[in-house]
Amino acid sequence: MSSTPETNPRVVIVGAGIVGCSLADELTARGWTDVTVLEQGPLPAPGGSTSHAPGLVFQTSPSKTLTAFARYTVEKFNSLEVDGVSCFNPVGGLELATTPERLADLHRKAGYAASWGIRGEIVSAARCKELWPLIDESAVLGGFHTPDDGLARALLAARAQMELAQKRGARFLERHTVTGIEQEAGRVTAVVTDQGTFPADHVVSAAGFWGPVIGRMAGVDVPLQPLAHQYAKTKPLPELADTTADSIAGATTEASKPILRFQDRDLYFREHHDRIGIGSYAHKPLPVDPFAILGYDEARASDLEMPSSLPFTEEDWAPSWDDCRRLMPALRETEIEEGFNGVFSFTPDGMPVLGESRALKGFWLAEAVWVTHSAGVAKAVAEWMVHGRPETDAHECDLTRFEDVQRSPSYVRERGSQQFVEVYDVLHPLQPMEQPRPLRVSPFYARQQELGAYFLEGGGWERPHWYEANAPLVDALEGLPERDAWSARYWSPIAAAEAKATREKVALYDMTPLRRLEVTGPGALDFLHGMTTNNLRKKPGAVTYTLLLDETGGIRSDLTVARLGPDRFQVGANSPADLDWLARHAPADVQIRDITSGTCCIGVWGPLARELVRPLARDDFSHEGFGYFRAKETYLGHVPVTAMRLSYVGELGWELYTSADLGLRLWDTLWEAGQEHGVIAAGRSAFNSLRLEKGYRAWGVDMTDEHDPYEAGIGFAVRLDKGDFLGQSALLSHSEPTRRLTPLLLDDPASVVLGKEPVYVDGAPAGYVTSASYGYTLGRCVAYAWLPPLLTGTGVHVEYFGEKVPATVAEEPLFDPKMTRIRR
């Protein structure tokens, strides 16, 4: 976020590829016209990834954010033209399935399209043949057709936006190589080039695969790995001789058929007049050192067409060429005429890296952005710079999202390379990366292994999802429905047994990966009270659920704030972005420290939780002596703990915090004391089921800064009369919500959905599922969805792999509405 209001600050953008040109246009359109774009190569084709990009734009993604970025890119490029030629060719998109697994995946992708508002349909093999006559219909089971996708003419789009920005006052300077970033008092002041120095209030690195180079000059880490990707063109094909001869404004159309994906063999295709261009992700990863990539003139002197275009490696191409010829028999009569290995950017999670660095104020990143999302990203970053936040939720792309352990060069290289491998893989939403693991483990890790924990990974943490030691408990379950193969992946019926044990006895949950911040100092209370929505002016020992909002009233995060002393607070947060947000706003008399790695946490939950904990403690753990949403610093056995009476599973219990060095002793103390009560260890699979039965929201999944507290159903955490707080004025003027986070119960006890599926009301898409899990206590799958306001009892349908599954709007909380189980 920009630290001061500005009217027309000096902005220097490094890189005049599609992102830099788009950003210059978006900034100048918003009144920031003092914009200088520096480019080391010649314009309008400076030699970065934009210069060789094949331009395929498939809008649909599992990420709602990336889909929004792509949709805006298509809309904008469709509105632009250069010399009478449109910057977008809406030929549509077609993804082929040659295996049952891929066809199922395309049905799921069609669901994403319906959820995010993209036109698309599953089509037959015969229809695929009509759309692409060159394919062998007998090899195809079906396809996913998206009529509004197509080809971005990236260089034309860059030029069109460059000209628009120039008319508003921006300047573009070619052959200016950046050699340094100047700064003073923690703020950027200028960009140094081989042609002079350019003063700046804001600098944006839109340098593509050179991003880490520019970042190092600024002292800002850019977790980006360039990789080479094969692209080839065939010789002319007689079958295409007449298909692109139509004229558009006097220009020959280079393509008339949909852009094509053959993902079962990691291939994509597009027409180039009478030739076919083919891209392959099937070869081994070819990582490129960003600090070794040649400049434009050096590349030309080395017989390269441009820095982003490396020599074609024939040995990597041969298997893909065989696959191409099997799909399109016409290719058996031709050869590859030319090819190259194009360099472009990957991050450890495959998402862009956007936002302002807190380490160097005024230094922004707009990196790892493909042509597909370029204009949408530029719009978001421009809004971020000018107005303080993007209209589209961008937390998945925020540069703060990576933990320190995820920023090492070896991690970025390994995970970035794996992202390349998995570009076209069928990926389950719970599927973790396999390497490098384990990285972060809680102090209880050895005990969890002994209990047969099944670990998934998040934020570098190993997170138990269930324990094989609890397998015998499955025998006592009744009526648990069979799961389909997809929803049964990364799931076990043991999770149901663990949920049941939590409801009936007591369980230990490892909550260590949840972020913990320590906020101290004379101004800590006033600071936190003014940053959040709820009343924090309570005596020490109080715990408060509250929200972080932005200026528009959007939910940036939800927090639990424990007042442990007059000037000392422990904050339960969600992500590194929360620390970044608070640190940006903190006054000099407030200190904020991330204590997550040095501490640990066990959730002790269930009706027998008090019987387990009370004999270990000298302090009063009765309901009267230790009320709900209260905290105490005490001892359990030999272990000093901060105990908070909170429960995210809807049962009596405590979160117990201690230092990491004492964590194992705490686990063993609780485990031994719990044996007489039938204690078990339980995992996140059961946890997710239990929290959805209680209607507890997960920030970043169920709600983001696109939503306000009232439509998200957490208006109870807002005290408008408590005094000034960030976002208050926006909430005071809010209108009646036109959408709500709505609980659904699937009608059929055997039905399960997983999240992101479209929800149909009266036969039309009306919203989408955020998170879902089988409610083992309720005997139904629980799904939360963003929908128009609907009455309890209204029937809807959730689309799951193309099937419309009936569901009913429920009244929340679905379980224990009077809170008798927690408050006892």
Side-chain angles (χ1 to χ4, degrees):
M1 167 180 239
S2 179
S3 58
T4 57
E6 295 161 289
T7 53
N8 194 23
R10 298 166 298 179
V11 179
V12 175
I13 299 172
V14 180
I18 190 64
V19 178
C21 292
S22 297
L23 181 56
D25 178 39
E26 296 288 341
L27 281 173
T28 56
R30 287 166 175 79
W32 281 21
T33 55
D34 190 351
V35 174
T36 300
V37 184
L38 303 175
E39 175 53 58
Q40 67 162 341
L43 295 174
S49 299
T50 303
S51 300
H52 72 246
L56 285 75
V57 177
F58 287 93
Q59 298 173 83
T60 306
S61 163
S63 166
K64 179 175 178 287
T65 297
L66 288 188
T67 302
F69 288 163
R71 183 169 57 241
Y72 180 79
T73 300
V74 167
E75 292 170 356
K76 185 175 186 181
F77 288 4
N78 260 319
S79 71
L80 299 174
E81 62 179 42
V82 175
D83 298 332
V85 178
S86 173
C87 293
F88 192 78
N89 184 0
V91 292
L94 178 63
E95 302 182 46
L96 301 177
T98 60
T99 65
E101 294 78 13
R102 181 66 62 182
L103 186 59
D105 186 62
L106 294 185
H107 275 285
R108 189 167 56 258
K109 182 166 285 188
Y112 294 146
S115 291
W116 315 144
I118 303 297
R119 287 202 304 157
E121 63 173 340
I122 299 297
V123 296
S124 67
R127 177 60 176 152
C128 292
K129 178 72 171 180
E130 291 177 12
L131 292 166
W132 254 91
L134 272 63
I135 66 171
D136 178 1
E137 181 183 347
S138 68
V140 177
L141 300 180
F144 176 48
H145 181 223
T146 46
D148 300 321
D149 290 342
L151 289 165
R153 299 182 174 103
L155 285 176
L156 279 186
R159 180 179 158 193
Q161 293 175 103
M162 183 191 315
E163 292 174 354
L164 288 171
Q166 286 173 324
K167 290 177 181 177
R168 302 187 194 104
R171 56 177 177 167
F172 287 73
L173 304 178
E174 63 181 1
R175 296 195 175 278
H176 279 63
T177 300
V178 175
T179 58
I181 305 292
E182 293 186 347
Q183 53 185 286
E184 183 177 341
R187 185 166 189 93
V188 70
T189 58
V191 177
V192 182
T193 76
D194 58 352
Q195 303 293 320
T197 298
F198 297 84
D201 301 302
H202 295 273
V203 174
V204 185
S205 177
F209 51 70
W210 282 291
V213 179
I214 304 302
R216 180 175 292 183
M217 295 177 191
V220 174
D221 180 47
V222 181
L224 178 160
Q225 176 60 56
L227 285 111
H229 163 61
Q230 290 199 305
Y231 191 79
K233 293 180 183 178
T234 68
K235 291 181 176 179
L237 292 172
E239 293 85 352
L240 298 181
D242 299 323
T243 60
T244 58
D246 297 331
S247 177
I248 295 182
T252 303
T253 307
E254 83 279 19
S256 60
K257 299 177 183 59
I259 51 177
L260 184 69
R261 278 174 167 169
F262 180 24
Q263 291 161 297
D264 289 321
R265 288 295 181 268
D266 297 306
L267 293 165
Y268 64 81
F269 304 83
R270 59 153 293 179
E271 296 167 281
H272 292 278
H273 300 290
D274 58 353
R275 295 163 171 79
I276 293 179
I278 308 165
S280 171
Y281 293 100
H283 56 84
K284 66 180 182 294
L286 301 170
V288 177
D289 181 357
F291 295 90
I293 298 174
L294 301 176
Y296 186 89
D297 292 327
E298 295 172 302
R300 299 284 290 190
S302 301
D303 294 326
L304 297 176
E305 182 182 352
M306 62 185 79
S308 62
S309 180
L310 302 181
F312 193 62
T313 48
E314 294 281 356
E315 65 277 11
D316 294 313
W317 177 255
S320 290
W321 186 228
D322 290 340
D323 290 330
C324 294
R325 289 172 155 181
R326 278 191 286 270
L327 179 67
M328 297 185 189
L331 297 182
R332 297 168 189 169
E333 306 303 321
T334 189
E335 299 293 337
I336 294 300
E337 186 171 67
E338 58 179 304
F340 65 95
N341 288 5
V343 181
F344 65 140
S345 304
F346 285 83
T347 59
D349 60 2
M351 299 292 286
V353 181
L354 312 178
E356 183 188 21
S357 168
R358 183 161 50 90
L360 180 58
K361 292 181 180 179
F363 184 81
W364 295 77
L365 297 180
E367 297 292 10
V369 181
W370 295 6
V371 170
T372 299
H373 312 110
S374 54
V377 163
K379 174 178 178 287
V381 173
E383 292 166 343
W384 211 335
M385 296 175 72
V386 175
H387 303 300
R389 57 154 292 188
E391 290 182 1
T392 301
D393 165 51
H395 82 273
E396 294 176 313
C397 309
D398 195 312
L399 62 87
T400 64
R401 70 187 183 273
F402 294 112
E403 306 283 351
D404 288 344
V405 73
Q406 296 173 307
R407 293 177 173 273
S408 71
S410 58
Y411 184 97
V412 173
R413 179 185 176 96
E414 190 166 349
R415 292 260 172 133
S417 296
Q418 187 63 24
Q419 288 292 334
F420 178 92
V421 171
E422 295 180 350
V423 162
Y424 283 168
D425 284 2
V426 176
L427 299 176
H428 193 277
L430 293 176
Q431 185 170 333
M433 285 282 191
E434 296 300 327
Q435 296 296 332
R437 288 178 62 191
L439 277 176
R440 308 176 79 184
V441 298
S442 77
F444 329 126
Y445 184 64
R447 296 293 182 265
Q448 292 166 342
Q449 288 180 304
E450 292 168 4
L451 293 170
Y454 185 88
F455 292 99
L456 297 180
E457 180 262 354
W461 287 101
E462 294 297 317
R463 303 185 179 200
H465 273 243
W466 65 82
Y467 294 84
E468 289 297 329
N470 297 324
L473 301 178
V474 175
D475 296 338
L477 297 177
E478 296 180 0
L480 189 65
E482 290 289 327
R483 288 230 179 182
D484 65 277
W486 184 252
S487 67
R489 291 185 67 185
Y490 306 104
W491 174 85
S492 169
I494 295 172
E498 293 176 358
K500 185 173 187 287
T502 305
R503 291 277 187 242
E504 296 178 353
K505 294 183 179 180
V506 62
L508 306 184
Y509 287 82
D510 181 2
M511 306 303 289
T512 300
L514 299 185
R515 186 165 303 276
R516 293 171 291 285
L517 308 177
E518 182 183 72
V519 182
T520 58
L525 175 59
D526 289 342
F527 168 65
L528 288 173
H529 191 71
M531 288 295 296
T532 63
T533 60
N534 214 332
N535 177 30
L536 299 186
R537 297 194 186 279
K538 302 173 183 177
K539 294 179 180 179
V543 183
T544 306
Y545 177 76
T546 188
L547 309 174
L548 285 178
L549 304 183
D550 60 28
E551 290 86 346
T552 70
I555 305 168
R556 284 194 58 94
S557 189
D558 62 341
L559 311 174
T560 53
V561 179
R563 191 176 188 187
L564 303 179
D567 300 326
R568 181 166 63 93
F569 297 80
Q570 181 172 309
V571 177
N574 284 296
S575 74
D578 295 341
L579 172 61
D580 183 79
W581 180 257
L582 291 171
R584 287 178 186 273
H585 290 83
D589 62 349
V590 174
Q591 295 77 48
I592 305 173
R593 188 165 64 97
D594 189 328
I595 61 172
T596 309
S597 297
T599 56
C600 59
C601 178
I602 300 174
V604 183
W605 292 313
L608 301 183
R610 183 174 286 117
E611 280 78 356
L612 190 161
V613 174
R614 184 158 48 185
L616 300 172
R618 182 178 301 175
D619 287 298
D620 186 357
F621 270 69
S622 69
H623 179 62
E624 295 74 19
F626 199 153
Y628 190 51
F629 266 80
R630 299 292 298 172
K632 286 185 180 182
E633 293 181 293
T634 184
Y635 287 85
L636 292 182
H638 299 286
V639 182
V641 299
T642 299
M644 299 186 195
R645 192 168 165 199
L646 308 176
S647 174
Y648 285 94
V649 299
E651 296 292 337
L652 171 68
W654 288 265
E655 292 180 358
L656 303 173
Y657 299 88
T658 192
S659 56
D661 60 324
L662 291 169
L664 187 59
R665 183 59 181 264
L666 176 61
W667 179 281
D668 289 344
T669 299
L670 295 169
W671 188 257
E672 182 179 349
Q675 292 308 300
E676 63 179 290
H677 305 295
V679 70
I680 67 162
R684 292 193 66 84
S685 186
F687 175 88
N688 197 47
S689 170
L690 296 169
R691 69 104 181 162
L692 282 171
E693 289 185 332
K694 282 298 293 179
Y696 293 143
R697 278 68 165 146
W699 187 87
V701 179
D702 298 313
M703 57 191 183
T704 69
D705 62 7
E706 291 185 350
H707 310 109
D708 72 41
Y710 303 109
E711 58 191 8
I714 50 175
F716 63 84
V718 178
R719 296 289 182 268
L720 289 174
D721 59 353
K722 73 165 194 165
D724 292 341
F725 63 87
L726 186 61
Q728 181 187 48
S729 58
L731 295 188
L732 286 169
S733 60
H734 88 285
S735 56
E736 189 66 20
T738 58
R739 59 184 177 179
R740 293 186 185 276
L741 188 59
T742 305
L744 305 175
L745 281 175
L746 271 59
D747 293 352
D748 184 350
S751 295
V752 174
V753 298
L754 300 181
K756 300 187 178 181
E757 296 89 356
V759 180
Y760 290 76
V761 178
D762 296 330
Y768 59 92
V769 174
T770 57
S771 55
S773 179
Y774 200 84
Y776 303 112
T777 316
L778 304 173
R780 293 285 192 281
C781 182
V782 180
Y784 271 77
W786 280 104
L787 291 168
L790 298 171
L791 295 175
T792 300
T794 301
V796 300
H797 288 85
V798 182
E799 183 177 314
Y800 185 67
F801 287 95
E803 179 186 352
K804 301 294 195 304
V805 179
T808 302
V809 174
E811 185 173 357
E812 60 176 343
L814 305 172
F815 175 78
D816 188 26
K818 295 183 179 180
M819 301 284 282
T820 57
R821 300 176 70 91
I822 292 178
R823 301 178 185 270
R824 60 180 175 183

